[in-house]
Amino acid sequence: MIKGIGTGLYWTLWVSGLCTGIGLLACSSKDDTQNSKLSACSSCAAEKCPQESATCDQSAKCKTLRSCELACASGDSACQNKCVNAAASDSNAIVAAANLLQCASTACSSACNGSGGSTGSGGQSSTAHGGTTSTGSGGTSTSGGTSATGSGGTSSPPLQCENLLQWATACVVSTDPVFRNCNTAPPTLCQAGCYENATCDEYTQYKSAGTGDLKTCLTACDLGSGATLPANCANAKAKRLLCGITVDLACSDADPVDQCLNKCALDYPCDQWEPPMGQPPTAYQNCSNGCDASVGATSPNFVVSEGGYVTTLSWQGYAWTATDGKSATTITPTDFSTLPAGRQLCASGTVPGTADYSAVAMLGFNLSQEAAMPGGTAPAPSTWTPLDTNQIYGLTYNITNRAGTPLRIQIQGPAGNTDPNQRWCADVSGQSGSIFWHTFNTQCWEGGNGTAYNGVDSLQSIMVLVPGDIASRSFDFCIYEI
């Protein structure tokens, strides 16, 4: 295989300045001066590159392509593309022409300089990968494949095509449209890099099945340029690659959790995936952290046993629901005594509007309570103490709020049912997040003037609370974990 040379449209631009063999017939309509130049180029190529010329002469497609190209006006990419399309099925013809190009452009640079491609003022330049260029009035000629144009001249093809065409030639795929049309429809630098870093087998897989690492890389380029794509596993994998994550995660387009995760990945830009150190979770993290919860899955860190008994890290106790007891608030279920093991804790209902905002609904669980013996009564709850005098800890939450109702998390001491100074609340922001102990306050609402929780007072329960308003509120939420 020839190194340092690309096939496709780059050599077609050069060969339009070379008349050899049957190609001489295509030059008969040119003026005598031009024919003389083409003849000199042809003779030199036949003398200096006999093997390459003979090989091209033995290939019908190579001769046809050579003749066709010579009939095109210099710089007429549309005409040249048609010529290449006619020979696209014969990779041997392409390689034969590429070999002839490399030899003649070096051995016959003087004789072939300007043949078939020289124009007057306002003309176009004829360029070649590895070839020689000729320019119109006001321009200069250079060798080595660069283009210098005169007044009104055309510019050279995009630089990324050169290495791309070398790669395509090595894989014997240089006749494929994406490479053959590179100078008129060049891929982006990102896409060109995907091809060049791929193996030939990966390209074959991509062409036959539309999958694989090359497909992932190209899709990542599309996403990086702002394309909107469906939220499926393949596109989410490409988005992770774009964001610098190369770990290949198991994913199924039929899995509801994966469907949710894929949508989160495609909905948020890479710079929102990780929060700055010490900052709360990002919107992307809140989205992805809530996917298990949104489809009814349970958390391994928040285990709900039969009857609604919760075990989570150092907390354990029964779950319950409650209302303010004064308004017409409704809540379902009224308890979790019949809840099977392995379910989420969920509650729904309505909090009516009241003038003093006093109506509330709650779903909570005790923090320190032994489980009941079979057929027995649950022991009374005890208390748990964080002993966090530095106020650097708190709790995390993941709550699926299907109704979008404003929610709060409330922590409560042993006398919290009657003593407002033993209950502290904080607003829930988004589906998941973290709340420091000092954020909890006895009056967490706007305009409140309460006392912050000190991080050391004993607690008996934690609950998710639906606060009342002047207007009625319907609610429907589930606790994935707290």
Side-chain angles (χ1 to χ4, degrees), residues 253-330:
D253 286 326
D255 188 321
V257 176
D258 287 340
Q259 292 170 7
C260 175
L261 291 171
N262 294 339
K263 188 174 188 306
C264 294
L266 292 172
D267 281 352
Y268 294 94
C270 299
D271 60 6
Q272 293 186 18
W273 281 34
E274 293 293 337
M277 185 173 294
Q279 296 300 309
T282 65
Y284 163 73
Q285 289 176 316
N286 288 337
C287 179
S288 57
N289 289 341
C291 285
D292 285 316
S294 67
V295 298
T298 57
S299 168
N301 301 318
F302 191 86
V303 179
V304 180
S305 302
E306 184 178 357
Y309 188 76
V310 175
T311 303
T312 173
L313 301 179
S314 61
W315 299 336
Q316 56 185 18
Y318 282 98
W320 42 266
T321 60
T323 68
D324 58 276
K326 301 174 183 178
S327 67
T329 297
T330 61

Side-chain angles (χ1 to χ4, degrees), residues 51 98 169 349 367-368 380 388 404 457:
Q51 181 177 347
T169 300
L367 301 181
S368 181
D388 183 18
D457 285 353

Side-chain angles (χ1 to χ4, degrees), residues 348-393:
S348 60
T350 302
V351 175
T354 59
D356 59 358
Y357 303 87
S358 60
V360 294
M362 295 165 276
L363 188 168
F365 59 93
N366 299 322
L367 301 181
S368 181
Q369 182 183 25
E370 296 297 324
M373 298 296 291
T377 303
S382 184
T383 60
W384 172 85
T385 305
L387 299 179
D388 183 18
T389 56
N390 292 323
Q391 297 277 315
I392 61 174
Y393 298 111

Side-chain angles (χ1 to χ4, degrees), residues 50-371:
Q51 181 177 347
E52 291 82 354
S53 295
T55 300
C56 186
D57 286 339
Q58 293 171 5
S59 169
K61 289 286 187 181
C62 185
K63 292 193 296 182
T64 299
L65 177 56
R66 185 174 58 195
S67 177
C68 178
E69 285 291 336
L70 293 169
C72 295
S74 176
D76 187 348
S77 296
C79 177
Q80 292 158 354
N81 287 345
K82 291 180 180 179
C83 296
V84 177
N85 286 335
S89 62
D90 190 345
S91 60
N92 291 329
I94 301 296
V95 173
N99 289 338
L100 180 58
L101 161 63
Q102 186 195 43
C103 178
S105 61
T106 302
C108 303
S109 60
S110 297
C112 294
N113 182 25
S115 298
S118 177
T119 63
S121 176
Q124 297 175 316
S125 65
S126 175
T127 66
H129 180 66
T132 305
T133 62
S134 176
T135 62
S137 173
T140 59
S141 64
T142 61
S143 61
T146 58
S147 171
T149 60
S151 58
T154 58
S155 60
S156 63
L159 182 62
Q160 66 261 36
C161 290
E162 296 193 19
N163 292 336
L164 183 58
L165 287 171
Q166 292 181 41
W167 175 90
T169 300
C171 288
V172 198
V173 294
S174 54
T175 58
D176 289 1
V178 66
F179 312 116
R180 189 173 67 244
N181 299 329
C182 192
N183 72 327
T184 56
T188 64
L189 288 173
C190 177
Q191 292 167 331
C194 291
Y195 288 113
E196 292 171 32
N197 290 322
T199 65
C200 299
D201 288 342
E202 287 172 344
Y203 180 71
T204 299
Q205 178 188 9
Y206 165 62
K207 285 201 299 180
S208 62
T211 59
D213 291 343
L214 177 56
K215 171 65 174 178
T216 299
C217 183
L218 293 172
T219 303
C221 293
D222 292 338
L223 291 170
S225 63
T228 300
L229 301 176
N232 56 39
C233 291
N235 292 337
K237 180 180 179 180
K239 180 62 176 290
R240 290 195 297 272
L241 178 63
L242 180 66
C243 295
I245 300 174
T246 58
V247 177
D248 196 4
L249 303 178
C251 183
S252 169
D253 286 326
D255 188 321
V257 176
D258 287 340
Q259 292 170 7
C260 175
L261 291 171
N262 294 339
K263 188 174 188 306
C264 294
L266 292 172
D267 281 352
Y268 294 94
C270 299
D271 60 6
Q272 293 186 18
W273 281 34
E274 293 293 337
M277 185 173 294
Q279 296 300 309
T282 65
Y284 163 73
Q285 289 176 316
N286 288 337
C287 179
S288 57
N289 289 341
C291 285
D292 285 316
S294 67
V295 298
T298 57
S299 168
N301 301 318
F302 191 86
V303 179
V304 180
S305 302
E306 184 178 357
Y309 188 76
V310 175
T311 303
T312 173
L313 301 179
S314 61
W315 299 336
Q316 56 185 18
Y318 282 98
W320 42 266
T321 60
T323 68
D324 58 276
K326 301 174 183 178
S327 67
T329 297
T330 61
I331 190 168
T332 302
T334 55
D335 62 57
F336 295 104
S337 59
T338 61
L339 184 71
R343 299 291 184 86
Q344 286 187 357
L345 299 177
C346 300
S348 60
T350 302
V351 175
T354 59
D356 59 358
Y357 303 87
S358 60
V360 294
M362 295 165 276
L363 188 168
F365 59 93
N366 299 322
L367 301 181
S368 181
Q369 182 183 25
E370 296 297 324

